[in-house]
Amino acid sequence: MTDVKAAADVEIGVPAVQEKRAKAFAHLDEAKLGWFHLRAVLVSGVGFFTDAYDIFVISQCLPIMVCSSSVTYFLTNWVNNDNNVHIDALLKASTNWGNFIGQLGFGYLGDKLGRKKMYGVELIIMMICTVGSAVSAPAARGFSILVILCIWRFFLGIGIGGDYPMSAVITSEFANVRYRGMMLAAVFAMQGIGILIGGVVFVTTLTYMKSYILADYLNLDYVWRIALGAGVIPALIAVYFRLTIPETPRYTVDVVGDTDKAARDVEKVLALNEVRDVSSNWGSEKPATAKVAVKSDDFGVYFSQWRNLKILLGTAYCWFALDIAWYGLSLNQSTILNLINYNGPAKISGYCVPNPNDPTSKGFCPSAFSDPNATMFDYFYQKAIGNIIIALAGTVPGYWVTVALIETLGRKPIQLLGFLVITVILLVLAIGWSTISTQVGTFMALFTIAQFFFNFGPNSTTFVYPGEVFPTRWRSTGHGISAAAGKVGAILGIQAVGPYFSANAQTVLYVFAVVMATGFVATFLLPETKGKTLEELSQEDGVILDEVVDESK
């Protein structure tokens, strides 16, 4: 008799729990865009702001480090090979190797331990390593400052890499259906803000230090340390809010199995959405506990089905293809700076010979530049302004056009359009390189269009897609694998292809065009996610098993 009653309880209990789950998720999916959503975007976007800020500033700081160590070495060895691709590649690749580890590690742990337990840890790593980078110094015997910096940037990369799956998944699982893509794109678009602020901070610091640099070029050492260290400020502001952000209701139900707590959390989200304060704190609460048994199949079992595997292959390969060209081309901005005359004063000698009887001449290098009045300040200032121009020419606008149009056009059309336009432009550049590379206007126009469609295209959508197409129990892992595949592409683009751009520009451009074309084809493996709930996309509404967990055991 007892067994019959227990069976009846299960039959009654499971449908009720499934209904409660469906109602809770429906409230999230249909919620108005509000203040809690804005807070989620801002708190999640800080990591991407810091990432882009660091990448922009370090590209400016690296030549300054070399110069402040030895101006003669700088002028003879660095400026002659202005891009100095192998050192630049080593520094960028060290960050990307860290990204690879962070994306896989945090992606897995985000599903295993929960979003809340891991969120904030990656930002703390980024903060510590940013400060460590800013105070880097060579060992008295052994490693140079560049080696020390590579080590710091490797660990910084782990933090940045961990931010990808954590921020994407948390934003996606709290978002409503109508604006989910826009919110995810806005988080990623904070990279554009990071680039702009990085440029402003660097130019402002350089300008403030002008008189000190003219008095002694070694004062450039302060410039790169201040500019690099300033990147920790927004992270300091946001870390508290990351550590206090709640667990997502979807994780609480579909992985932990506590529908009651998820329902209460949804009510709090809706209430905070009406509070006109993005700093509103969630407050402490008891952790969720398992009330029902939920589906927990093995990763290999789930992705052994082609309908699931093809989506993972699509998200991973598209990101891989994108980053080969994106990072490979990013190493060669000196070509554009030369074309727009923002690559510093023309150099005629490899030596800086200040007047020994005039201490104020230590910032001047009359023997090094064709203009006798040119200074080391002029060299770095021109390059910094040039890099800001390049960023504004297409990179930053592309991010925000995606935010504006992703819910109108959809993810798939934007990604297809981006891959197609970039493929065509790279082919045009490859075919006409000998002529186009000498035409400032034509080259700059094509480069700007390509930069725009990288960001109004696959650079944004490859981040958005993995946050939507996987089930809750594998969403963080799937995003981490996709992002890590991208970093493998980045490492190939940086170290295997990019350094040879100057000597073999046409061949490299043809290779990049073919890779972009394969990304276009791989996009057809992916569904359109606009207007669909996360449960519709994963096709897994039945995660509650036909068995109620007995908490008394």
Side-chain angles (χ1 to χ4, degrees), residues 226-520:
I226 292 171
L228 204 59
V232 79
I233 295 174
L236 282 171
I237 297 171
V239 68
Y240 169 76
F241 299 105
R242 285 203 174 190
L243 292 173
T244 57
I245 203 165
E247 184 58 84
T248 69
R250 283 184 162 91
Y251 186 88
T252 300
V253 174
D254 289 358
V255 180
V256 178
D258 191 339
T259 52
D260 293 334
K261 185 175 188 307
R264 293 195 301 271
D265 287 350
V266 168
E267 291 178 2
K268 282 192 174 184
V269 169
L270 298 178
L272 286 175
N273 237 4
E274 303 298 325
V275 178
R276 292 177 174 271
D277 183 2
V278 295
S279 66
S280 297
N281 185 26
W282 184 266
S284 59
E285 190 173 312
K286 292 181 180 180
T289 56
K291 302 291 178 61
V292 295
V294 293
K295 186 182 291 186
S296 57
D297 57 343
D298 183 79
F299 179 87
V301 172
Y302 178 81
F303 286 103
S304 65
Q305 302 176 55
W306 172 244
R307 72 181 180 92
N308 301 326
L309 178 62
K310 73 174 184 177
I311 292 175
L312 180 60
L313 290 175
T315 57
Y317 184 80
C318 288
W319 209 330
F320 169 82
L322 162 76
D323 277 4
I324 288 178
W326 171 255
Y327 281 90
L329 290 173
S330 70
L331 282 174
N332 296 282
Q333 289 195 355
S334 63
T335 303
I336 297 91
L337 292 175
N338 274 323
L339 284 171
I340 64 176
N341 298 316
Y342 270 92
N343 207 24
K347 190 180 76 67
I348 59 174
S349 169
Y351 295 92
C352 179
V353 185
N355 183 349
N357 298 318
D358 181 7
T360 63
S361 73
K362 290 188 72 176
F364 293 80
C365 298
S367 61
F369 300 112
S370 57
D371 180 357
N373 295 315
T375 68
M376 298 306 296
F377 170 85
D378 296 328
Y379 180 83
F380 292 112
Y381 185 82
Q382 271 198 31
K383 288 176 73 71
I385 296 296
N387 276 287
I388 293 176
I389 292 172
I390 290 173
L392 289 173
T395 302
V396 176
Y399 283 114
W400 292 100
V401 173
T402 301
V403 174
L405 297 181
I406 193 168
E407 297 297 357
T408 302
L409 300 179
R411 290 65 155 158
K412 198 168 186 175
I414 290 175
Q415 184 158 307
L416 288 170
L417 178 64
F419 272 127
L420 180 62
V421 171
I422 297 165
T423 299
V424 171
I425 289 178
L426 290 174
L427 282 174
V428 170
L429 285 171
I431 293 168
W433 180 253
S434 58
T435 302
I436 295 173
S437 61
T438 63
Q439 299 174 345
V440 177
T442 304
F443 185 91
M444 195 61 191
L446 290 171
F447 179 82
T448 299
I449 294 170
Q451 288 292 96
F452 177 83
F453 279 98
F454 265 117
N455 294 295
F456 177 53
N459 195 37
S460 295
T461 53
T462 52
F463 173 81
V464 173
Y465 255 127
E468 300 180 304
V469 293
F470 302 113
T472 302
R473 65 186 179 280
W474 298 122
R475 188 168 291 126
S476 181
T477 303
H479 198 289
I481 290 172
S482 303
K487 292 313 166 188
V488 173
I491 292 165
L492 287 175
I494 291 170
Q495 292 192 291
V497 182
Y500 305 100
F501 183 88
S502 298
N504 303 279
Q506 281 185 298
T507 302
V508 171
L509 289 169
Y510 276 123
V511 169
F512 287 163
V514 170
V515 170
M516 290 295 97
T518 63
F520 177 86

